Amino acid sequence: MPEPMSAQNSDTAPDAAQAPFACAVTVSEPAGVGSLFRRLNTIPDATVTRHRSAPEDGELGIAETLQLLVPSAAVLTVVIRTLPAFIRSRRSSVSVTVTRGDRSVTFDGKNLPDPEKAFEITHRLLGDD
């Protein structure tokens, strides 16, 4: 597993070259992307950008994905711990999927992780890295 950023660098957000872990975050409800983007931007050392793409064949509208760059498993664990509050804050049924490479985890109102499970989920996403 890559070494986390040193404590000296914890006050600055990593750029893409420094962040060893990149994840894609998708929201089932397009109206929720902006809200989740703002929420994730408050997490220290996490860098979040919005990406828009053309729709797939047979679909309408623009798909938005959040690109998440984190310097350590600890920061990814904090991200995962924030998702239940976001999902509970939505009026309609919403799900959030975090993908890294060929691994993904989807959260919705029925399978919200408790804080103890967040580390296990992080490990599952990161695998042997």
Side-chain angles (χ1 to χ4, degrees):
M1 182 179 279
E3 293 293 321
M5 294 177 67
S6 69
Q8 298 170 335
N9 296 334
S10 64
D11 292 340
T12 59
D15 62 24
Q18 293 174 312
F21 305 119
C23 299
V25 181
T26 56
V27 181
S28 64
E29 175 187 287
V33 174
S35 177
L36 183 57
F37 173 77
R38 289 185 295 279
R39 186 178 295 250
L40 294 179
N41 261 329
T42 65
I43 298 173
D45 294 332
T47 301
V48 185
T49 55
R50 288 172 89 162
H51 294 275
R52 294 178 184 197
S53 60
E56 298 289 326
D57 288 338
E59 294 182 0
L60 298 174
I62 294 175
E64 271 194 292
T65 302
L66 300 178
Q67 179 69 34
L68 175 67
L69 300 173
V70 294
S72 68
V75 176
L76 183 56
T77 301
V78 172
V79 167
I80 290 169
R81 286 183 174 181
T82 65
L83 296 178
F86 168 76
I87 291 170
R88 283 188 206 105
S89 73
R90 307 307 297 172
R91 289 185 180 187
S92 63
S93 177
V94 64
S95 64
V96 176
T97 301
V98 180
T99 304
R100 182 165 183 271
D102 62 349
R103 301 176 185 116
S104 67
V105 171
T106 300
F107 305 101
D108 59 28
K110 298 174 186 168
N111 71 341
L112 295 175
D114 56 36
E116 295 80 30
K117 295 286 184 189
F119 180 74
E120 291 175 30
I121 294 165
T122 299
H123 181 71
R124 191 176 338 144
L125 279 169
L126 299 181
D128 296 331
D129 291 349

